[in-house]
Amino acid sequence: MENETDAFYRELPKVELHAHLNGSVSFKTIEKLISRKPHLNIGHDMTAIGKGQRRTLDECFQVFKVIHQLVDTEEDILMVASDVIKEFAADGVKYLELRSTPREDKNTGLTKKKYVETVIKAIQQCKSEGVDIDVRFLVAIDRRNGTDVAMETVKLAEEFMLSSDGLVVGIDLSGDPTIGDGKDLLPALQRAKNCGLKLSLHLSEVPSQLEESDLLLNLPPDRIGHGTFLHPEVGGSQSLVDKVLKHNIPLELCLTSNVKGRTVPCYSKHHFKYWYELGHPIVICTDDKGVFSTDLSQEYQLAAFTFGLSREAVWQLSQRAIDCIFAPDTVKQQLRQKWIDTQPQGIK
Ligand code: 5GP
């Protein structure tokens, strides 16, 4: 049964800005997908990392490949996106930016364009059903796929930015950080920026990316995913930190993902502390709530417990995330009002 503390975090209105669609698929939805494709012989242990378990980053990326096998038709994408949106809403998320890498599949007739259209359809359907959440979409570039695919992805996102009634708001750069070079993706990212797409880039997820991070920070991106190894205490550099501070670029921080993926040794050593103490804008996110068996309420609770945050501090953290969203100012105003309307007594 939910206790009073759990209820506080569940009821806390929240903003989720770093959620990969196929990493966010819940146990329940995976079950439905498995029953649609029993011949694949996929078990739950292959699609999620349970409590207390940890994997290497490489093993985490293997998990996404398994989930991709289960999600390879328009019908699957529609169900997955719609379930994920409703689950975030049930967890008290009022504004969600979902991100996903468009895929094509010759066997099922899936095209990248259909992929994006289907995610948009799920967002629109949830809206028309009255689900209490504002959802936007970031089209993701998988760094593994190189220059041409990155450019093709940006063009696709550009097309949908103009035709989706504000639902497609930006580009995500993700994928295995040990593969590919960010330098090759610069022309595509620059184009995205020039045409008005916002940029959220995974930066310094592993220690070997200092040069690349320096280069990508010159764009500059609008938000940073993880940024685990940017600061000097973990082998990053003050000049990288200075660039982040100069451009005031918010960081999307995903505690459980980083601990389970072993890029951070334990919760108390998470770089949340470094950036929080600087007073820099940070947003607590889930990354892959399905794969890492978590949700956003739990992530807030974990941060509060680990770093001794008061309820007031937690409330401020969730409220300040509104400043970092990619949707326009009118949406920010609406969200700010929502926070004011639901603020519990005793929290200033
Ligand atoms: P999808 O884009 O298929 O909806 O979500 C899964 C994909 O998101 C993965 O294949 C990977 O490219 C990306 N992804 C998910 N989690 C992470 C992460 O923690 N780090 C990085 N770099 N990429 C991730």
Side-chain angles (χ1 to χ4, degrees), residues 141-143 146-147 150 173 181-190:
I141 295 173
D142 185 336
R143 50 183 294 137
T147 316
L173 171 63
D181 189 341
K183 190 163 84 188
D184 302 334
L185 311 174
L186 272 178
L189 297 173
Q190 191 64 62

Side-chain angles (χ1 to χ4, degrees), residues 222-256:
D222 299 283
R223 288 198 313 253
I224 294 168
H226 305 299
T228 316
F229 294 94
L230 285 171
H231 63 293
E233 287 170 21
V234 286
S237 76
Q238 190 56 45
S239 74
L240 289 176
V241 171
D242 288 343
K243 278 192 186 180
V244 176
L245 298 178
K246 178 177 159 210
H247 298 294
N248 201 30
I249 313 170
L251 272 84
E252 304 153 357
L253 301 181
C254 314
L255 278 76
T256 297

Side-chain angles (χ1 to χ4, degrees), residues 42-68:
I42 291 173
H44 278 290
D45 56 334
M46 297 157 76
T47 63
I49 303 166
K51 215 179 157 82
Q53 296 179 335
R54 298 177 79 185
R55 297 277 194 279
T56 63
L57 204 56
D58 186 49
E59 287 166 337
C60 294
F61 282 99
Q62 297 305 321
V63 175
F64 297 123
K65 287 192 185 143
V66 175
I67 298 172
H68 285 161

Side-chain angles (χ1 to χ4, degrees), residues 20-22 61 64 68 100-101 174-175 202 205 226 287-288:
H20 298 270
L21 177 62
N22 286 295
F61 282 99
F64 297 123
H68 285 161
S100 194
T101 326
S174 54
H202 284 60
E205 245 182 309
H226 305 299
D287 204 7
D288 299 287

